[in-house]
Amino acid sequence: ANMGSEEPVPLHEEFIYCCGAATHVLKCGPWKDLSKDESKNLPRLLFMIIPGNPGLAGYYRTFIQALYCGLKRQYPVWVVSHAGHCKPPSGMEMIEDTDIKELEDVFGLNGQVEHKLNFLKKNVSKDIKLVLIAHSIGCYITLEMMKRASELQVLRSVLLFPTIERMAQSPQGKLMTPLLCKLRYALYMPVFLLSFLPEGVKASLVRFALRGMKTCDESSITTSINLFSVDCIANILYMASQEMMKVVERDSTTIKQNLKKLIFYYGTGDSWCPQHYYDEIKMDFPDGDIRLCEKGLRHAFVLDASKEMAAMITDWLQDDLTKL
């Protein structure tokens, strides 16, 4: 009876330029192109993952496959990397070689919001409804997208471990802010030197760094090898430094306007959004769907709990999908 789940999950990988920056897209399901209106078999719904930081699509590989299967293979599930966070394949530059300056600061936080909106505009037909599943800083980006592009047909936004306020004041933020804002250039040199190591040695270093995990996702290890590229690290740390400065006040206006579409999921031991952030948003929005994790999942759930997270989300969205 279990034949269905044994079929390989169709996964399609692309490196494209979006807003002039190298972007890695992973597409789960048989649909490779959702922009063509003339084809009659467009799905009604796209699940799009907006990653955290580092915004590498590969970290979400297991997650999108599990979601796709949990959704009974009925809808495409895509993840789009942040601009410039992936190491482009050989022959492709980090920034497109054109004279047109597509976007002022595409690697910054505001640029990453515009980057996702631009991706949707160019690659997804307006008729397709969206379920946005956002992780960490992706939640801030998602609220910004909903605020800037109210024409998007967002059915639901699921905000996982949302860093949407007071990032620099969080326990982890206090630790990282001086590092990101003052010392980030000092990190480039060791990364540059490590970038010359053979791939196998890099993989061993990553395994060593992640050794504390009971089960570590294999795709996390291969994806983490991107972090040995100075270009990627520079863009990742630059975006992170902006997060510390810009993610200060929670955008309660946008939350209020979209409350019925939002699901929040906070961690219990999350040093990026401590539990009192959860208590406060819960008090401000008593009618909101705001949950506290009871499973002890870590902020970086993709490293070891992708399947568990995917199963919970398919569960939460059951009602929405039956109404479609």
Side-chain angles (χ1 to χ4, degrees):
N2 205 357
M3 288 295 288
S5 60
E6 297 310 306
E7 284 172 54
V9 174
L11 194 66
H12 174 68
E13 180 168 27
E14 292 174 13
F15 284 90
I16 58 169
Y17 285 115
C18 179
C19 297
T23 305
H24 183 200
V25 188
L26 283 177
K27 301 178 171 180
C28 216
W31 307 267
K32 297 208 175 73
D33 185 358
L34 295 180
S35 58
K36 304 243 185 301
D37 288 1
E38 52 272 23
S39 95
K40 283 285 165 277
N41 51 6
L42 276 184
R44 308 171 61 177
L45 199 56
L46 165 66
F47 283 72
M48 180 157 143
I49 316 298
I50 312 283
N53 186 4
L56 292 154
Y59 282 130
Y60 298 85
R61 189 181 293 261
T62 305
F63 181 58
I64 64 172
Q65 289 174 305
L67 259 176
Y68 177 68
C69 294
L71 296 161
K72 306 193 175 52
R73 301 173 179 248
Q74 289 182 312
Y75 307 105
V77 185
W78 291 7
V79 56
V80 179
S81 78
H82 291 320
H85 285 207
C86 57
K87 194 174 172 206
S90 61
M92 182 176 181
E93 296 300 313
M94 189 62 98
I95 295 176
E96 197 172 6
D97 187 15
T98 54
D99 302 334
I100 314 153
K101 191 85 188 87
E102 282 236 25
L103 205 62
E104 204 37 60
D105 180 15
V106 69
F107 301 129
L109 191 51
N110 173 53
Q112 297 288 6
V113 177
E114 291 301 327
H115 173 259
K116 305 306 167 290
L117 289 171
N118 185 286
F119 175 85
L120 283 170
K121 192 180 277 161
K122 291 210 165 109
N123 297 287
V124 181
S125 156
K126 289 189 195 52
D127 307 329
I128 297 178
K129 291 190 167 69
L130 300 168
V131 174
L132 301 175
I133 298 179
H135 176 213
S136 191
I137 192 62
C139 301
Y140 172 87
I141 291 173
T142 297
L143 288 175
E144 276 295 308
M145 288 166 71
M146 292 170 82
K147 174 177 158 182
R148 295 180 196 185
S150 47
E151 71 280 2
L152 288 179
Q153 292 203 50
V154 179
L155 183 73
R156 275 276 178 207
S157 288
V158 181
L159 308 181
L160 306 172
F161 304 99
T163 51
I164 52 175
E165 57 180 308
R166 295 175 286 176
M167 277 187 77
Q169 290 172 29
S170 68
Q172 193 71 7
K174 285 184 181 140
L175 203 68
M176 296 296 283
T177 302
L179 207 72
L180 290 167
C181 296
K182 301 203 174 60
L183 295 171
R184 72 172 195 270
Y185 301 102
L187 294 168
Y188 297 171
M189 197 60 200
V191 171
F192 176 67
L193 296 171
L194 290 167
S195 70
F196 293 104
L197 291 171
E199 297 296 295
V201 178
K202 293 177 185 170
S204 303
L205 283 171
V206 171
R207 281 205 166 79
F208 180 72
L210 299 175
R211 68 194 177 284
M213 311 212 171
K214 285 194 282 295
T215 52
C216 189
D217 199 315
E218 195 53 39
S219 56
S220 298
I221 292 169
T222 40
T223 301
S224 297
I225 293 174
N226 280 278
L227 304 178
F228 290 97
S229 142
V230 178
D231 286 345
C232 296
I233 281 291
N235 291 333
I236 286 166
L237 295 177
Y238 171 60
M239 176 177 165
S241 69
Q242 287 208 341
E243 292 169 33
M244 297 309 130
M245 294 182 293
K246 294 192 166 171
V247 182
V248 183
E249 255 182 78
R250 158 160 45 92
D251 182 357
S252 293
T253 315
T254 301
I255 293 173
K256 190 175 175 185
Q257 281 164 351
N258 295 284
L259 193 60
K260 287 192 165 45
K261 294 179 178 177
L262 300 172
I263 298 175
F264 293 87
Y265 191 74
Y266 280 84
T268 38
D270 188 343
S271 47
W272 279 115
C273 29
Q275 203 173 321
H276 66 265
Y277 289 13
Y278 159 80
D279 298 329
E280 289 163 21
I281 191 171
K282 194 101 174 122
M283 280 189 347
D284 291 349
F285 297 102
D287 299 338
D289 189 345
I290 304 167
R291 305 161 185 240
L292 190 63
C293 172
E294 290 164 9
K295 305 188 173 207
L297 300 189
R298 67 179 79 235
H299 183 87
F301 74 90
V302 289
L303 295 176
D304 59 359
S306 289
K307 290 179 176 157
E308 225 176 320
M309 196 74 239
M312 284 196 283
I313 293 171
T314 32
D315 197 39
W316 302 339
L317 298 176
Q318 233 37 71
D319 285 355
D320 293 324
L321 298 176
T322 35
K323 285 184 201 138
L324 263 184

